[in-house]
Amino acid sequence: MLTTLKTTYTDTRASDLAWALGREPLPALAVLDLELSGATVQLRLLGASHQILLEEDGRSCSETVACMPGSSTPLPLGVSKRVGEWEYEFAARVETLSQGSFAGRAQELLALVADHPHGLAGTFPGSPHAFTAMLAQRHEGQMRWRTWHAYPQEGQLVVTRTRIGARMPATL
């Protein structure tokens, strides 16, 4: 699902993003509710990026990546921790692209997410390449999602990926 967000573009730099687990739902500009093999997932586009809420078997988790005033947790490159009975893994990277490459990558990602039944993307007024996009899936009992946060004025794309679920058995 693709939507135009009715707000001003509040994330001004990729470096303004922060990460948090366990925050209460924040006001959302667009929401996509999903039911994936018994798990309820809510993809939420915020005025300042994204929040994903997960509920399954009486357990819940929320992930927020956004500009959060007063937050002391900058966007980490990686996190691996236990959330109740779940294993949670998060990774983030920043891609810096030329103006032409950025425009092409933005169009490619927006097309991918807009046409996906488990995807939500929102563009911000003022630039067709200023967007936040999310894509969720269920794979082998685990929930996984990817997000993209675009900063065309810097030519930067923040890419995150998350996996959460029961501990995966070790492979030999």
Side-chain angles (χ1 to χ4, degrees):
M1 182 170 95
L2 178 62
T3 186
T4 300
L5 302 173
K6 293 172 178 49
T7 187
T8 56
Y9 185 55
T10 56
D11 289 350
T12 56
R13 294 186 315 267
S15 61
D16 290 339
L17 287 175
W19 168 86
L21 274 179
R23 287 188 72 125
E24 292 296 316
L26 298 171
L29 300 171
V31 173
L32 179 62
D33 291 309
L34 301 170
E35 186 72 30
L36 300 172
S37 301
T40 302
V41 181
Q42 188 176 73
L43 306 180
R44 302 169 58 82
L45 289 173
L46 311 177
S49 293
H50 89 256
Q51 186 172 52
I52 298 178
L53 308 178
L54 168 66
E55 288 190 28
E56 182 180 25
D57 296 331
R59 297 172 286 185
S60 64
C61 179
S62 76
E63 172 188 282
T64 307
V65 172
C67 293
M68 295 178 276
S71 175
S72 60
T73 307
L75 191 64
L77 293 177
V79 173
S80 182
K81 66 186 304 176
R82 225 151 148 76
V83 177
E85 296 177 22
W86 286 327
E87 293 291 327
Y88 172 90
E89 291 180 3
F90 172 87
R93 73 177 191 277
V94 178
E95 298 176 7
T96 302
L97 304 164
S98 69
Q99 189 173 8
S101 294
F102 188 92
R105 182 87 168 119
Q107 289 174 336
E108 175 184 279
L109 288 169
L110 287 171
L112 169 74
V113 175
D115 292 338
H116 197 285
H118 305 145
L120 176 62
T123 57
F124 291 89
S127 171
H129 304 127
F131 69 91
T132 298
M134 299 175 278
L135 193 59
Q137 69 175 0
R138 179 97 173 175
H139 181 70
E140 296 179 353
Q142 308 257 322
M143 282 304 310
R144 299 172 187 228
W145 54 82
R146 297 196 58 184
T147 73
W148 299 269
H149 305 264
Y151 300 90
Q153 72 281 12
E154 296 182 312
Q156 291 188 323
L157 185 66
V158 177
V159 180
T160 74
R161 66 174 170 76
T162 300
R163 182 193 62 76
I164 186 169
R167 182 183 297 246
M168 296 287 286
T171 56
L172 300 176

